[in-house]
Amino acid sequence: MSTVRSPVRSLYAYPWDVAARGAREFASQVRELGLDSVTLALSYHAGKFVSPHHPGRRVVFPEDGATYFAPDPDRYGEIAPFAHSDAALLRIAADLADDGRIAVRAWTVLLHNSRLGERHPRHVVRNAWGDPYVHSLCPSSPAVFDYAVALSTDVARQPVQGLVLETPNWLPYAHGHRCEFIQVRGNLWLETLLGLCFCADCRRLAITADLDADALSARVRSRVDAYLGAPIDAGADQAASWLMADLLDMPQLSAYLKLRQRRVAELVAAIRAAVPRDREVVVIPTAQRPTASAWLEGSQLAALAQAADAIEVPLYEPNAARVAADAFDTVQRVGAAGRVRAILRPGPPDLDDGHELEAALHAVKAAGIADISFYNYGLLRPDRLRALGRTLRRCD
């Protein structure tokens, strides 16, 4: 007999923020907010976070590329993860599971990892000039593919209900590295071309698809070199038009982007096949806004929703109207609202600093999306958390 599952109501959180509160008190607070689960980072990248929740400590620098559990070394090949140096943080998921009042979902960052990229430069993204992006492991690499599957199965051994996978794909150009500088106005066209990977493994995949990666990378270099040498800046509308024209003028560019989408879907499908069926596998397909821009990262929304159990979409928008439009479009592209979940930020910089949260919740539900999570416990001021609880009580 099938059972009807309750809608997900989860709060994203970092282990260090849960530890600062204590697992029991944190679980009590989550329940008081009207939520039933935590999406807890068990594999994460470097960062710099202002925290309203740490008396005597206001800026947190997490260890780069660490896991918040003890990895099983026998599962890994050439690339293996590093456990966080603080043994107490490795226990947070177990502590919450032992408490038992909220479910734990494992927020699992896969390929955004500067620590591993610096250790394994052979397996990082390389642009059309051969420049390495050490913060971004390339999913075309067989060693990276195997690492991502092994990490996911290792996470699934922990006391978690399921996995929420982040970055099973290529990172966009303007995302995730330390001290990023550019004194040329960024735009969609430029960042798309700078974000393409032409590493040895991507070139190998291109050969199997009868694509000339050498010719394409040369064309990319020519286009970008000419632009950077010219005394002009493209506006947003011009850059979007340039990109559309390039996609039409360079059929191999379109084919190369589709090749990337197939590779990412293949990786997610392999993870879903390797993880026990009693653990959900959900994918965050993109860091881009709107969600339809996921192709920049090699994500095809419908394919990922089929390869996993669902996609979980960050609807990080300045107002509820834009949330409504993005939710509508995402459901249309996936073709099944039941395979789409939403993440909302109930405070700055989104939704008029959180004041349009209730309207955003109604918009998400109107699109047919039942499962909603909220970002991020450790970054929101206490008043925004209290407002979240009040809003949920009115809406649910």
Side-chain angles (χ1 to χ4, degrees):
M1 179 183 297
S2 63
T3 58
V4 177
R5 177 179 63 79
S6 298
V8 170
R9 291 292 181 271
S10 190
L11 185 62
Y12 275 74
Y14 298 122
W16 54 87
D17 289 318
V18 178
R21 180 72 61 179
R24 288 191 61 79
E25 186 178 343
F26 174 79
S28 295
Q29 188 173 6
V30 170
R31 295 296 299 178
E32 288 168 4
L33 290 172
L35 305 169
D36 57 23
S37 61
V38 58
T39 305
L40 182 71
L42 289 192
S43 171
Y44 204 68
H45 51 70
K48 178 183 179 183
F49 306 106
V50 173
S51 173
H53 297 274
H54 287 268
R57 185 186 184 196
R58 287 304 179 207
V59 180
V60 178
F61 289 86
E63 286 186 17
D64 191 358
T67 65
Y68 294 85
F69 66 95
D72 175 6
D74 293 336
R75 290 179 174 266
Y76 299 92
E78 181 179 352
I79 303 174
F82 294 87
H84 196 281
S85 61
D86 185 345
L89 295 185
L90 307 185
R91 287 278 315 160
I92 297 300
D95 290 344
L96 289 169
D98 290 343
D99 179 84
R101 285 176 292 165
I102 59 174
V104 180
R105 305 191 310 155
W107 179 12
T108 308
V109 174
L110 293 175
L111 307 187
H112 183 180
N113 196 312
S114 300
R115 188 175 185 178
L116 291 181
E118 289 167 355
R119 178 164 288 226
H120 301 282
R122 161 68 180 79
H123 301 293
V124 302
V125 168
R126 290 181 181 269
N127 64 23
W129 296 260
D131 305 320
Y133 295 169
V134 296
H135 60 293
S136 183
L137 297 171
C138 180
S140 290
S141 161
V144 170
F145 191 106
D146 292 345
Y147 160 74
V149 175
L151 177 63
S152 299
T153 59
D154 209 359
V155 169
R157 295 188 311 110
Q158 312 311 311
V160 298
Q161 175 180 292
L163 283 68
V164 180
L165 306 178
E166 184 177 346
T167 63
N169 43 21
W170 286 266
L171 294 179
Y173 173 73
H175 181 75
H177 196 53
R178 299 181 290 267
C179 300
E180 298 187 16
F181 293 106
I182 183 171
Q183 287 190 260
V184 175
R185 295 189 190 281
N187 60 61
L188 179 62
W189 172 84
L190 178 63
E191 292 177 5
T192 297
L193 298 187
L194 289 175
L196 292 175
C197 182
F198 292 96
C199 72
D201 290 304
C202 282
R203 291 173 184 271
R204 176 183 53 80
L205 279 185
I207 290 171
T208 66
D210 198 27
L211 294 175
D212 189 342
D214 291 338
L216 180 58
S217 64
R219 185 72 183 275
V220 168
R221 291 194 302 273
S222 175
R223 294 280 285 140
V224 174
D225 288 346
Y227 178 74
L228 294 179
I232 53 98
D233 278 307
D237 57 340
Q238 291 173 310
S241 295
W242 291 5
L243 181 57
M244 180 62 70
D246 278 354
L247 290 171
L248 294 172
D249 292 343
M250 295 189 282
Q252 291 230 332
L253 175 58
S254 298
Y256 201 69
L257 293 170
K258 291 177 182 177
L259 180 67
R260 285 157 57 99
Q261 291 178 332
R262 289 195 294 272
R263 181 62 170 181
V264 174
E266 179 186 3
L267 174 55
V268 171
I271 291 171
R272 174 62 280 181
V275 168
R277 292 302 309 185
D278 63 350
R279 301 287 195 271
E280 278 192 322
V281 175
V282 178
V283 179
I284 299 172
T286 181
Q288 302 299 300
R289 301 274 59 80
T291 305
S293 301
W295 59 269
L296 286 164
E297 299 169 64
S299 292
Q300 206 279 334
L301 299 178
L304 292 185
Q306 289 298 319
D309 296 306
I311 60 171
E312 188 154 303
V313 178
L315 298 174
Y316 298 164
E317 296 287 2
N319 55 59
R322 286 182 62 93
V323 168
D326 201 353
F328 166 82
D329 182 69
T330 300
V331 170
Q332 292 292 305
R333 291 181 189 281
V334 170
R339 286 188 175 268
V340 180
R341 301 180 179 184
I343 314 171
L344 296 174
R345 291 193 296 201
D350 290 354
L351 301 176
D352 187 23
D353 289 350
H355 299 297
E356 293 191 30
L357 174 61
E358 185 168 348
L361 286 170
H362 288 309
V364 168
K365 292 177 183 179
I369 300 172
D371 298 318
I372 307 172
S373 297
F374 302 93
Y375 188 96
N376 176 302
Y377 170 75
L379 304 180
L380 291 166
R381 280 177 163 156
D383 74 297
R384 287 296 90 205
L385 288 171
R386 291 192 294 269
L388 170 61
R390 291 193 299 269
T391 303
L392 289 175
R393 285 191 287 275
R394 287 196 300 270
C395 292
D396 283 349

